[in-house]
Amino acid sequence: MAKKETKQKILDAAELLFAEQGFSETSLRQITGDAGVNLASVNYHFGSKKDLIKAVMDRYLAIFMPNTNAALLQLLDEPAITLHQVFDCFVAPLMQLVSVQRRGPEIFLQLLGRGYIDNQGFLRWFIVNHYGQVLEHFTRAIQKAAPGLSSADLFWRLHFTLGTVVFTMASSEALRDIAKTDFNEDIDVEGLVRKVIPYLASGVGANPV
């Protein structure tokens, strides 16, 4: 039980620091300090910082990716689909990340964004190697919904999509406060995600210049 508690403490401390500061800027000493464990315990449970990063991400990916894949496969069986429907496939799986922790959806997207900002190539390799089929089904769904997009257009638009989502979720508390103060709208995290979907669908599907 003690070993499990130590591992859990390290994961919990690491994911918050990684989300707030980034992978590169977070040291193992910071993580062990926040977790209240010794430095050797990281090596014992994870082996290296890279392996710890992968373990932090996989707590979320192991839930998010299979559920997203199931939704995408169901959508791909439809004769005609829209980009809005494609992005809708991510909502329920994202909300299920509260099973990891209360702020799971926001933290996961922040971590995903950090992986790109910090240029963590090994993390992208890990995701592609373990969940490549999900990414393939997502790409197929986008191409089915917007067949006129070239591969280059698809690359850029999905890159901009990730940036929009990460910024929105990183600013989620502030945005929800503004919505309440200025527009008297009570929006939870799922409501915020659903607000951004029409914007993403329109941007990805816009006619190429």
Side-chain angles (χ1 to χ4, degrees), residues 66-130:
N67 291 328
T68 300
N69 196 47
L72 288 169
L73 285 174
Q74 185 175 357
L75 184 64
L76 282 167
D77 281 340
E78 298 295 325
I81 62 176
T82 66
L83 287 169
H84 198 295
Q85 288 175 302
V86 175
F87 287 112
D88 270 344
C89 289
F90 291 87
V91 179
L94 187 63
M95 293 305 108
Q96 288 166 350
L97 298 181
V98 296
S99 64
V100 180
Q101 69 150 292
R102 183 181 61 82
R103 293 185 59 241
E106 299 106 303
I107 291 173
F108 169 64
L109 289 173
Q110 285 178 271
L111 289 169
L112 199 60
R114 289 293 186 182
Y116 281 83
I117 294 170
D118 291 358
N119 196 28
Q120 301 291 320
F122 77 93
L123 185 56
R124 290 195 291 277
W125 178 89
F126 172 77
I127 293 172
V128 170
N129 189 54
H130 285 76

Side-chain angles (χ1 to χ4, degrees), residues 165-206:
V165 172
V166 170
F167 173 79
T168 299
M169 297 309 288
S171 311
S172 62
E173 290 187 15
L175 290 171
R176 289 157 64 192
D177 286 344
I178 293 170
K180 177 62 177 176
T181 302
D182 292 0
F183 309 110
N184 198 32
E185 290 184 347
D186 284 310
I187 302 176
D188 58 12
V189 174
E190 181 175 348
L192 185 60
V193 172
R194 292 196 180 280
K195 275 192 174 293
V196 80
I197 284 177
Y199 179 85
L200 299 178
S202 297
V204 172

